[in-house]
Amino acid sequence: MVWTRYAAIGDSFTEGIGDLHPDGTPRGWADRAAEALSTRAEGFGYANLAVRGKLLDQILDVQLPAALALKPDLVSVSGGGNDLLRPGTDVDVLAARMDEGVARLRAAGADVVLFTGVDPAGSAVIRRTRGRVALFNELLRATAVRHGAHIVDQWSMDVLRDWRCWSIDRLHMSPEGHRRVALAMLESLGVQDAGDWREPELAPLPALSRGARLLFDARWARGYLAPWIGRRLRGRSSGDLVTAKRPGLSPVGK
């Protein structure tokens, strides 16, 4: 397959937080994948409608219709992660909404790429969501089969459990993490010779003492977890004043 009109929708993961262009704007796996796809098709256009902090309803109610208006032949959809961080989230309802969104995209003739959540087992706090993430992943896989969508199984990407694939905030991927996810997406699409997300293998990290680990976790909680909780308590989001970085289809690099 050769795609010429690619639209990405989602939250901070798709916007590219944690991976920057030289000018300081977010890059991320979607930009990286678009760069690779653009070399395989003349007249390639790429739009990225993702905005940090958005919940799945916001992605599907606002970004999905905007993406459909662009008449894309390829759409990547990643969402639900911010919902799953909230204890009261009904995973079945969340997955049903995603299924409806994928059905709309497929009915419009677009190929769709979905993303499972990463296994949070290594996170001192976020691992409490592990059961909800695992259930959501299973329902996403069923959606992919039901509608003929591609899926990037981040849960099985063991390399993403390495902290070198994550930014210091532990919520967003580092450039290395984004690079590997881009390659995994291209692999899911059957793109040849794009590179292997498994390479290079990362050497084991040195073990931290219990005291060093506790200090590391305490600094993270004070610097990143507490502000995140504060925004939630005030009903605010990091994306409240942010607009999509690429609201329309345009050539990669412009």
Side-chain angles (χ1 to χ4, degrees):
M1 284 290 297
V2 175
W3 297 272
T4 60
R5 302 173 69 84
Y6 168 38
I9 63 176
D11 51 30
S12 59
F13 172 60
T14 302
E15 186 184 350
I17 303 302
D19 181 24
L20 301 178
H21 286 289
D23 64 0
T25 58
R27 185 187 186 191
W29 62 265
D31 284 21
R32 290 171 179 266
E35 290 161 12
L37 292 172
S38 71
T39 67
R40 293 163 167 78
E42 292 186 11
F44 183 86
Y46 164 51
N48 190 318
L49 305 172
V51 175
R52 67 198 73 174
K54 296 305 180 185
L55 301 173
L56 185 60
D57 280 346
Q58 295 170 312
I59 294 167
L60 298 179
D61 292 343
V62 178
Q63 296 177 25
L64 190 147
L68 283 174
L70 301 174
K71 301 187 183 306
D73 52 18
L74 177 65
V75 180
S76 61
V77 186
S78 179
N82 290 317
D83 302 78
L84 292 169
L85 288 172
R86 302 183 175 206
T89 297
D90 187 320
V91 178
D92 291 307
V93 171
L94 194 69
R97 281 240 59 197
M98 179 68 88
D99 192 274
E100 293 167 1
V102 174
R104 287 183 63 189
L105 292 168
R106 294 293 287 141
D111 285 324
V112 176
V113 183
L114 301 173
F115 299 78
T116 71
V118 177
D119 185 352
S123 172
V125 175
I126 300 176
R127 68 185 176 197
R128 297 177 183 178
T129 69
R130 196 180 189 212
R132 293 197 297 276
V133 174
L135 174 58
F136 187 58
N137 287 350
E138 284 302 303
L139 295 171
L140 277 181
R141 294 184 185 102
T143 286
V145 171
R146 186 178 301 114
H147 299 293
H150 304 270
I151 192 162
V152 178
D153 190 358
Q154 296 187 102
W155 184 277
S156 68
M157 294 173 67
D158 290 345
V159 69
L160 296 183
R161 300 181 189 179
D162 191 301
W163 286 118
R164 285 168 289 191
C165 288
W166 294 86
S167 299
I168 193 171
D169 66 6
R170 306 190 195 179
L171 295 171
H172 303 103
M173 289 185 179
S174 66
E176 180 63 8
H178 280 285
R179 182 187 74 83
R180 290 178 187 264
V181 171
L183 292 177
M185 173 182 165
L186 295 169
E187 180 181 280
S188 77
L189 291 172
V191 175
Q192 301 295 316
D193 303 320
D196 189 343
W197 60 263
R198 304 162 188 82
E199 300 295 336
E201 293 187 11
L202 297 176
L205 287 168
L208 292 176
S209 68
R210 183 173 183 275
R213 189 167 58 251
L214 289 173
L215 179 61
F216 185 52
D217 289 342
R219 287 177 173 172
W220 169 76
R222 182 171 60 251
Y224 298 99
L225 180 61
W228 182 86
I229 293 174
R231 288 196 300 272
R232 290 297 174 271
L233 292 175
R234 296 192 300 273
R236 298 178 59 186
S237 166
S238 58
D240 285 345
L241 302 178
V242 178
T243 56
K245 66 180 184 180
R246 296 177 65 95
L249 292 168
S250 60
V252 173
K254 295 185 179 179

